[in-house]
């Protein structure tokens, strides 16, 4: 089946990109209205006279709940303790707020860029698993997956470029003088980690990860397409793909883990968690499988994937369900271990999130766990296409908020909002994602003709 | 007790059995029962059996298990004796919930699994010392048996079954028992 990106989709993607650029530009202009500490002082005074900005409001609301009062008190003391540590780096409260305001458009860009990149990377890992496991159901979806993974290289490059340009707006450990004992910004904890967290090494690692992933992507796509024109019983290209997939999975699990420390966890350089890499991986896989299902359903509705039947959608929905539960398991394991032991240096991570990000933090549990759990449990519902699409939309929004919750508390603190800079960034990278993915989908026939498992896959029935 | 006649058609291959079932259904005969040594994929669909509701019962049992866990721990840890154990906030259920989740999870699974299994045993009438209802011992090894009630049409039925590839056809007088 031939597919060509339709004009409507092209125009839609362009409109998204243009609106996104406008939104992002507005975000930067808006944040730079506050050029110095003086402007922030007036802002803070205004907020105070309006009966409280974010901070006071959040505290006020929680204090109303009597049963919560004790816990909140002890928590907020912890949080303030941490804030004081920050402020001891020779920074006034106003300067702190100024930084947060300036960080916001950068963080918004970074969250959205990473979100779309991680979809592509999750699909790449899922695709490699399908080859390595010699799955019999999925070969009819290989071209859809290959289309989505075409975003790995540009998406990863975008993330690295934003990280490079944003510099200390995102990564506190890039602040000048933070490792210099004579500087008033000196931070002994960060200085102790500077063997790993330093600018050249960070980007060298990033480039190595990206090079490894996109090299695998390039060759697996090449072999997959070459297999189409192979002679009968000539499975050399498939075997090559099988081998490089197995090797890639080994490489991937190490690099993905390190990437999660570098690109996400290092925004909070005082904090660390050992299962963070897995946690991010689970989120990546959910989003990846969800997008595979959504694009497959879209192409099927255009009559382009005649061999994709309800059983394939059912299988994808099962993966969406299973990985959602797996994500929740890891989220909860991370949260509960830290909550239970309540060690101050670890628990501040969740204290700031529960205090300042209450709704997104707990809302995402509903979106990423309870919603898919109840909707996708029924086996009949998993075969209803619009149902899978609706569940997929909620899952994707939930995982955007998941990434949002990872980055924002470290960069903008309580000055967060999902407003024009955030939505603009989503539109911008969403548009680029759609453009690249659907262009790649149009390059080769949508059916991987000569895959050894293609007949089994065409007749897959559950 | 009314004595009734049934016809037992024996097959040696599950594919032959499947096509026989389809043919018998097409001739609008009612199949009482089929005995097979192993699960034959798609046999229930071919016979037109209603889908099982066991999964729905499991969901309900899971909800009951979750409720039991919540009510139990809310009473013990929060209402009855809210002690300070290692600084855990036992002021309300929600505040201390993360500590209860492992138990909530396990009881949900426990109730769902065990009650569903017991439901399965009861609905399929299986228990220790139960008398085996096996019309022919070969059906537990390598033969398949289709049982059809006879209503004065023995000959036509026997011919039909012979055509479908039955290796053996027996007409059995059967004492109708309670179930």
């Amino acid at each position: 089946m031939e597919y060509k990106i339709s004009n409507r989709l092209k125009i839609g993607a362009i409109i998204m990109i243009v609106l996104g650029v406008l939104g992002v530009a507005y975000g930067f202009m808006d944040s730079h209205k506050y050029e110095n500490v003086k402007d922030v002082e007036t802002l803070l005074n205004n907020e105070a006279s309006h009966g409280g900005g974010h901070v006071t409001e959040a505290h006020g609301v929680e204090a109303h709940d009597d049963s919560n009062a004790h816990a909140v008190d002890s928590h907020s003391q912890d949080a303030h303790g941490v804030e004081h540590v920050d402020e001891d780096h020779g920074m006034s409260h106003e300067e702190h707020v100024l930084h947060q305001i300036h960080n916001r458009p950068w963080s918004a860009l970074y969250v959205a860029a990473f979100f779309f990149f991680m979809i592509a990377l999750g699909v790449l890992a899922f695709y490699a698993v399908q080859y390595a496991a010699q799955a019999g159901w999925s070969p009819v979806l290989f071209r859809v997956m290959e289309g989505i993974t075409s975003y790995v290289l540009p998406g990863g490059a975008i993330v690295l470029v934003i990280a490079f340009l944003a510099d200390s707006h995102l990564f506190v450990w890039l602040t000048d003088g933070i490792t210099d004992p004579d500087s008033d910004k000196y931070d002994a904890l960060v200085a102790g980690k500077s063997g790993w967290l330093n600018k050249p090494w960070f980007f060298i690692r990033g480039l190595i990860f990206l090079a490894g992933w996109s090299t695998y992507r390039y060759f697996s796509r090449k072999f997959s397409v070459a297999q189409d024109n192979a002679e009968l019983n000539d499975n050399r290209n498939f075997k090559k793909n099988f081998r490089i997939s197995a090797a890639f999975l080994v490489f991937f699990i190490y690099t993905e883990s390190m990437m999660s420390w570098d690109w996400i966890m290092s925004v909070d350089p005082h904090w660390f968690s050992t299962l963070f890499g897995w946690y991010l991986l689970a989120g990546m896989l959910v989003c990846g499988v969800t997008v595979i299902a959504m694009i497959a359903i879209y192409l099927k509705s255009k009559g382009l994937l005649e061999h994709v039947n309800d059983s394939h959608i059912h299988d994808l929905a099962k993966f969406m369900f299973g990985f959602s539960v797996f994500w929740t398991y890891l989220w909860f394991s991370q949260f509960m271990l830290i909550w239970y032991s309540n060690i101050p240096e670890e628990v501040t991570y969740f204290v700031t999130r529960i205090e300042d990000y209450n709704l997104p933090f707990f809302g995402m549990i509903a979106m990423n766990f309870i919603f898919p759990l109840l909707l996708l449990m029924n086996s009949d519902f998993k075969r209803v296409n619009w149902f899978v699409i609706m569940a997929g939309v909620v899952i994707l929004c939930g995982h955007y908020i998941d990434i949002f919750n990872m980055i924002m508390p470290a960069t903008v603190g309580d000055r967060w909002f999902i407003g024009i800079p955030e939505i603009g960034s989503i539109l911008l990278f969403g548009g680029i994602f759609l453009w690249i993915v659907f262009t790649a989908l149009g390059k080769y026939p949508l059916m991987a003709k000569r895959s050894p498992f293609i007949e089994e896959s065409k007749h897959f029935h559950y | 007790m009314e004595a009734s006649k049934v016809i037992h058609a024996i097959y040696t291959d599950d594919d032959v059995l499947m096509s026989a079932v389809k043919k018998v259904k097409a001739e609008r005969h009612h199949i009482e029962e089929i005995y097979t040594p192993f699960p034959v994929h798609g046999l229930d669909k071919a016979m037109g059996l209603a889908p099982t509701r066991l999964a729905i019962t499991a969901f309900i049992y899971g909800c009951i298990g979750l409720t039991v866990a919540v009510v139990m721990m809310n009473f013990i840890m929060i209402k009855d004796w809210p002690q300070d154990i290692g600084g855990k906030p036992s002021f309300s259920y929600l505040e201390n919930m993360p500590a209860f989740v492992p138990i909530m999870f396990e009881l949900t699974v426990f109730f769902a699994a065990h009650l569903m299994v017991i439901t399965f045993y009861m609905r399929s009438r299986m228990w220790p010392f139960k008398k085996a209802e096996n019309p022919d011992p070969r059906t537990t090894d390598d033969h398949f048996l289709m049982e059809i009630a006879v209503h004065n049409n023995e000959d036509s039925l026997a011919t039909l079954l012979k055509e479908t590839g039955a290796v053996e056809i027996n007409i059995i007088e059967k004492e109708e028992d309670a179930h």
Side-chain angles (χ1 to χ4, degrees), chain A residues 67-72 332 335-336 339-342 374 377 461-462, chain B residues 41 45 59 86-89 91-92 95-102:
Chain A
S67 61
N68 269 343
H70 277 286
V72 169
F332 182 71
F335 173 72
M336 196 262 238
W339 172 88
Y340 208 105
S341 57
N342 204 22
L374 294 177
M377 195 183 309
H461 146 82
Y462 169 72
Chain B
H41 193 77
K45 276 219 179 76
F59 179 76
K88 284 279 156 290
F91 308 104
S92 74
E95 271 174 280
N96 213 358
M97 197 187 77
F100 302 145
V101 166

Side-chain angles (χ1 to χ4, degrees), chain B residues 164-175:
Chain B
T164 61
V167 293
E168 199 178 310
I169 287 169
N170 305 319
I171 295 175
I172 311 267
E173 295 278 349
K174 186 167 163 186
E175 284 289 311

Side-chain angles (χ1 to χ4, degrees), chain A residues 242-257:
Chain A
F242 170 74
R243 286 197 202 100
I244 61 170
S245 297
F248 165 75
L249 285 170
V250 176
F251 174 80
F252 173 77
I253 203 64
Y254 283 104
T255 48
E256 189 274 338
S257 191

